[in-house]
Amino acid sequence: MSGLKRFWQGLCALLLVGIVVVPLSQVVMRDIFLSPLVGAEELTRFLLVCLVFASYPLVVGHGENIGMSELRDMLTGRPRRLLDTTIFVASAVASGVVAFATITTIADNLNNATPTLKIPFWIFLGSTAIGFAVAALQHVIRLRGQSATASHDDPPEVS
């Protein structure tokens, strides 16, 4: 496992820990010490958004994203490779478009922040842009891997 992938997994694990610890701390502070944490709900939402979009490239890298496997499993040979290629290309393009759209949205919202904690919106949107950009790259890498193995799987043509 590469160091970057391990780092990314660790970052996602920390975000997940935050999603558990922040609300727990809010409950303890509010119910036991009668002193609620201001902005805990906002921070929890922030952590959830960041976790969802930061973990998406890991899902894609493991090939665990949603797919209609029933149709794919019925196909063999070239039709299956054609469907796989179409899916990888469409997924890469869609992820790239979302990343680009998010980057343009960041540019339009650089001065906006959350109401209570004043967390800049670009942090929320940044996790989305990075997540989808890396996912697009993952789709391209999987496409290249699929096309490299497909050339070895093709039966020899008979003339």
Side-chain angles (χ1 to χ4, degrees), residues 123-150:
I123 295 176
F124 291 100
L125 296 172
S127 68
T128 306
I130 292 169
F132 274 97
V134 174
L137 181 61
Q138 288 282 2
H139 285 299
V140 170
I141 290 168
R142 289 179 54 84
L143 175 63
R144 289 188 69 210
Q146 182 250 350
S147 63
T149 58

Side-chain angles (χ1 to χ4, degrees), residues 81-141:
R81 284 192 302 279
L82 180 61
L83 178 63
D84 286 344
T85 300
T86 303
I87 290 169
F88 288 137
V89 169
S91 298
V93 168
S95 294
V97 167
V98 172
F100 179 77
T102 305
I103 290 167
T104 59
T105 302
I106 289 171
D108 293 340
N109 290 285
L110 285 175
N111 296 325
N112 291 337
T114 60
T116 305
L117 296 177
K118 305 297 182 209
I119 300 169
F121 278 153
W122 65 262
I123 295 176
F124 291 100
L125 296 172
S127 68
T128 306
I130 292 169
F132 274 97
V134 174
L137 181 61
Q138 288 282 2
H139 285 299
V140 170
I141 290 168

Side-chain angles (χ1 to χ4, degrees), residues 47-85:
L47 293 170
L48 179 62
V49 167
C50 289
L51 176 63
V52 166
F53 293 117
S55 62
Y56 180 53
L58 295 173
V59 171
V60 171
H62 286 280
E64 297 295 330
N65 46 320
I66 297 172
M68 293 177 27
S69 59
E70 294 81 12
L71 172 64
R72 187 176 175 273
D73 292 343
M74 290 184 336
L75 299 174
T76 59
R78 289 177 196 247
R80 182 174 181 158
R81 284 192 302 279
L82 180 61
L83 178 63
D84 286 344
T85 300

